[in-house]
Structure formats: C-alpha cells, structure tokens
Amino acid sequence: MATDLDSTWVSVERGEIDRRIFSDPDIFEQEMELIFGRAWLFLCHESQIPRPGDFFEAPMGRDNVLVVRQRDGGIKALLNTCAHRGNAVCRAEEGNARNFMCTYHGWTYDIAGNLIGVPGLEDLYGGDLDPSRHGLAQVAQVDSHEGFVFATMDPSAPPLPDYLGETGTLGLNLIAAQGDMEVIPGIQKFVIPCNWKFAVDNLFDWYHPQVTHLSALQTGMLGATPPGARLMDSGGAQTPDGREIQLPGGAVGGDVIDSIVCLDTYGHAIAGPTAEAFGAGGLFDDSWRRTERARELLGPVGSRVAGHPNIFPTLWVSSTTQASLRIPRGPMETEIWWFSFVDRDLPPDQRAMRVFAANHVFGPAGLLEQEDGENWAQSTIQTIGHRSRQVPQLLRMNLGRGKVVRDGQSPPRIEGTTSEHAQLWTFAAWSAWMSGCGWDELRRRTVPPEVL
Ligand code: FES
Ligand code: FE
C-alpha cells in the first residue's frame, strides 16, 4: 500500500526510484524552481569575507550571487547581473571591491548594490532615469549559523534555524565544534558529467567504499586502517572470478559498522558510522569531541555521530573538515565545490596535513572522488536508454526495519548498521519539494515516520 511519502517518482514502500528523475530536462527545470528557488542554500563561510567589501560569488540554482561584507559588518547577497542589460557586474570569483563596475557600459554599484554611477546620466538620459530604482537585485533572505552563510530566494521561507532543524544544525556543528574554524583559501571546483542527485545519494553511502575505493585503499593513502575499518568477513566483496577481496588493514563499508542515521524535516539527513567505529581509523585526531564546546554544540547524539550530513539539498559535510556543494549545472552535469576548514590555532605541520588531505582524498586530484565520479557518470548515462530508464533504482537495504528513535535526545535517528535509509529519506523529501506544496505542508510531509 502506498504511503503518504510515496509519489509518482519515488516509492518509499518498495524502496524504488524512477530513474527518469536523473536525466529528464523537464524535471530539472522544475527542480530549479521548486527546490533551488526556495530552499536555504549554502553560499560561503564568514571567514572568507571578513572585511568590508570582501565578496565571494556563489551559485543559487542557476543564479549567481555576490555575497558581500557590508561596512556595518552585515552580509548582503546581490544578484551578479547588471540592471541595464544583464551583464555580470563582477568577473572575479572572490576578492575585495570598493564598488562593482559593469564592463559593458560602465554602470557602477556600491557594495550594498546601490546604483551610484551611470555614464551619460544627464547628457544621454536627460536625467530621465532614477538610479535609486535600478540597484542590483537582492536575495530575499540571508542568515548564518556558526559562520556558515545561507540564503533563500523565497521571502516566505521559514527562518534559517527552523529550516536547518536539529539535523541540519548538527551537521554544521560537526565542523564548528572542532575549533575556531576558517576556510583555507582556494575553493576546489570541477565538473562531473552526472546528475546532482547521484552525488548527494553517494555521500550517505557506506556500502560502496569496499568496492569502489579498493584501489585508493590499496595505496595506503588513508593510513594502514581506513576510517571506520573492520576486517571483512565472509560475504564481503568479491572479484568477478569469485575471489574475496582482501584489503590492507581492512575494508570500509559492508554490513559490519555500527551506524547512526539522523532524519529531519525538509529532507536533511546524516548517515554513517558512530564516532567510536570511525575514531580508530580516522585521518585526524578527534580529541576535539571531548571539549566542552563540542559537547555543548553536538549534544548526546551528535557526540556519537561521525557520519556524513547533507543539508538539503546539496551541502555535504564530510567526516574530516571539509564541506562540499553539489551544484546542478544541467540534468547531466554537476559542478562540485570543496570548502576545506581548519582551526586557526592549529600548528603549521597539522595545517599542512589538512591541506594535503584536502588535495588527495576528495576534489579533482582526490583519489576517492575520481573513483566516485566514474560511478555517478555511468549511473547517469544509464538513465537515458529507452529500456534502461524503465528499470527502477533500488534503495531497499534494511527497508521497513528502520525504527526511528525519539527518546528526547535529538535528532530523530535510526541506529543499526549500514543502510540506505538516508538516501531513501532524501528522495522522499525531494518528492515533497517537487509537489510544489507550501511550506507548512512541506514541513508536515517531511516529518520522519515511525519506521522507514
Ligand atoms: Fe551593465 Fe550596460 S549591461 S552597463
Ligand atoms: Fe566514495
């Protein structure tokens, strides 16, 4: 029997997704309006724009916005499109500006977006143009949590704290709790020929590393014992000729890791190993978890969480100190941005280690993401074949057996081993967003069920 969470495209009851949602141009257009035109989207971290005039260009769907630090310390998000003929008023990806002068005809805007200069205003326009009416368009709402700046195009969207909820807040706090965090200069940006939802699905997926990342693990790049590692027992991955795969030091994934899945309204989710399971093989010292600040920011459940949060729709907080945006550029094209964070007080050698890891784990030169990207691209291509696209995609691991615990400790969660609950929840919420319902209805429809 179909549930309230089911839709044309997603069956929560069967754990099946219609593959056409990964390449259909019409669905992509609707996503731009119904999801990216309404959701609170991550733009940048406040440490990237500390001084007045500092700016960072960020995507909101297919709109480009300039996130600009104001003279009063506030932050504005301005559409990077001239009020005259639409040209971008800023060509740099980040920097500091006294004003923004359009390179087409020279209209000039101050850092608050006011139009302050029009060549020929008197001589050519005869004074018949009111500059106060032609400033840069502003994004409807801007707010930040622990330095993470978000914005929404929808003036009726709920306030950011309500939107983030317990799970979204926890996701951001998993970085914020690690110290006085700042973004390492330089955002890694690259394009993968895949649908953005494959990249989001994968961030929760602790089932694939033992196979997908076999070669990366064999290099020893993640240390002798990879994060969350356990020696594989029988029933683990096998080569095509039937041999069981033996990894140096063990394998990530499989069905043997104690895991926590957090689910929340609007589609936010976290999935992955417990801190205890992850800690033994983690890349970095996790003593920060035992600080007072961490205990306060994470709470009892968060203190046990080491898995990957996704702030719906596209902000992944990784298990290290990185955050990634999965930016839809087209139905079959996604741009990935990696922001790497570091505690300002970290000694130089440890800071260098963070940079090394940021370059070699994820990103365009990162071994893991090169391996992941191949899978996402191939999975996307297989959704356009006339027959292939009729084969449903499966998210059935532990289906119907994930009891959502609500014991007064937040957020709501499913405890157990590796599962596909977080992915299924993301797609269920995606359906609710794509229905176009109002915010109240959206919130009601994305309250996690008793069992998933
Ligand atoms: Fe910007 Fe004309 S398009 S000044
Ligand atoms: Fe991966």
Side-chain angles (χ1 to χ4, degrees):
M1 191 176 69
T3 72
D4 194 30
L5 292 168
D6 284 353
S7 74
T8 310
W9 305 107
V10 177
S11 169
V12 173
E13 184 200 17
R14 297 193 306 276
E16 293 182 357
I17 314 288
D18 190 317
R19 287 197 201 188
R20 287 171 293 181
I21 71 170
F22 297 104
S23 49
D24 185 306
D26 293 337
I27 288 180
F28 182 82
E29 287 301 319
Q30 289 175 38
E31 289 176 336
M32 291 300 104
E33 177 188 351
L34 299 173
I35 298 178
F36 293 89
R38 294 198 295 164
W40 281 93
L41 301 171
F42 173 66
L43 302 182
C44 70
H45 190 260
E46 291 201 35
S47 63
Q48 296 175 264
I49 49 170
R51 299 166 301 151
D54 284 351
F55 67 88
F56 180 81
E57 191 192 43
M60 293 185 72
R62 283 173 300 195
D63 292 306
N64 295 319
V65 305
L66 296 166
V67 195
V68 190
R69 180 72 72 176
Q70 302 298 299
R71 298 190 202 294
D72 65 0
I75 293 171
K76 283 187 188 293
L78 312 166
L79 264 63
N80 188 9
T81 178
C82 183
H84 182 221
R85 209 86 98 241
N87 185 32
V89 299
C90 178
R91 303 293 183 87
E93 295 176 0
E94 56 189 304
N96 182 275
R98 274 182 298 184
N99 49 49
F100 299 106
M101 191 196 81
C102 178
T103 55
Y104 201 165
H105 310 94
W107 285 26
T108 301
Y109 305 84
D110 67 15
I111 60 171
N114 301 303
L115 180 59
I116 57 171
V118 177
L121 182 60
E122 294 303 324
D123 299 346
L124 302 176
Y125 282 96
D128 189 24
L129 180 90
D130 179 1
S132 71
R133 294 184 53 221
H134 298 289
L136 296 177
Q138 303 210 10
V139 173
Q141 299 188 60
V142 182
D143 198 0
S144 59
H145 173 80
E146 294 288 342
F148 292 83
V149 182
F150 286 77
T152 170
M153 294 289 185
D154 186 349
S156 67
L160 179 63
D162 293 355
Y163 179 78
L164 291 174
E166 295 167 333
T167 300
T169 302
L170 171 58
L172 299 177
N173 287 354
L174 281 166
I175 285 183
Q178 299 192 36
D180 184 9
M181 307 304 281
E182 65 175 352
V183 169
I184 298 170
I187 308 304
Q188 294 168 297
K189 302 177 179 180
F190 57 105
V191 174
I192 294 180
C194 70
N195 183 271
W196 66 275
K197 295 186 291 297
F198 275 118
V200 172
D201 174 315
N202 180 256
L203 73 90
F204 301 120
D205 190 317
W206 294 82
Y207 185 42
H208 77 287
Q210 62 188 354
V211 176
T212 293
H213 298 309
L214 179 60
S215 58
L217 295 170
Q218 283 180 321
T219 68
M221 60 168 280
L222 298 177
T225 311
R230 289 285 188 279
L231 282 172
M232 276 171 60
D233 52 16
S234 59
Q238 293 189 329
T239 59
D241 62 4
R243 286 178 294 120
E244 186 168 316
I245 292 172
Q246 295 295 326
L247 298 177
V252 183
D255 59 354
V256 291
I257 300 175
D258 291 335
S259 299
I260 299 180
V261 175
C262 301
L263 309 171
D264 218 334
T265 47
Y266 304 123
H268 311 308
I270 300 174
T274 61
E276 189 181 21
F278 190 82
L283 281 173
F284 302 117
D285 173 21
D286 73 344
S287 58
W288 59 270
R289 284 183 178 275
R290 293 179 281 284
T291 63
E292 185 130 345
R293 175 175 157 77
R295 274 197 287 267
E296 194 179 303
L297 282 175
L298 303 185
V301 174
S303 299
R304 297 173 49 226
V305 165
H308 293 163
N310 187 52
I311 317 299
F312 191 93
T314 49
L315 178 63
W316 168 22
V317 179
S318 89
S319 307
T320 54
T321 46
Q322 290 186 277
S324 174
L325 275 178
R326 280 80 218 293
I327 304 160
R329 295 301 192 196
M332 300 177 71
E333 185 172 292
T334 300
E335 188 164 332
I336 311 286
W337 285 16
W338 277 103
F339 298 74
S340 302
F341 293 81
V342 69
D343 184 346
R344 292 175 205 267
D345 299 328
L346 213 56
D349 60 326
Q350 290 185 41
R351 185 183 177 100
M353 178 60 192
R354 298 277 173 170
V355 174
F356 178 87
N359 287 334
H360 290 84
V361 178
F362 297 115
L367 287 184
L368 296 190
E369 207 145 32
Q370 291 185 43
E371 294 170 337
D372 288 323
E374 288 286 322
N375 290 337
W376 308 341
Q378 283 300 317
S379 298
T380 299
I381 288 173
Q382 308 315 324
T383 67
I384 57 175
H386 177 70
R387 180 67 186 91
S388 303
R389 70 186 179 209
Q390 296 174 39
V391 180
Q393 177 169 310
L394 298 182
L395 289 171
R396 294 185 57 87
M397 189 181 291
N398 204 43
L399 183 67
R401 297 196 295 269
K403 183 171 174 355
V404 178
V405 178
R406 289 181 170 86
D407 56 2
Q409 297 183 357
S410 65
R413 64 198 187 278
I414 297 170
E415 302 216 16
T417 54
T418 300
S419 71
E420 291 172 341
H421 295 307
Q423 291 99 315
L424 189 57
W425 181 243
T426 300
F427 284 106
W430 175 89
S431 299
W433 280 84
M434 291 292 280
S435 75
C437 64
W439 283 101
D440 289 344
E441 173 74 1
L442 182 59
R443 184 178 181 83
R444 187 190 69 73
R445 287 179 59 177
T446 53
V447 172
E450 299 300 310
V451 177
L452 190 62

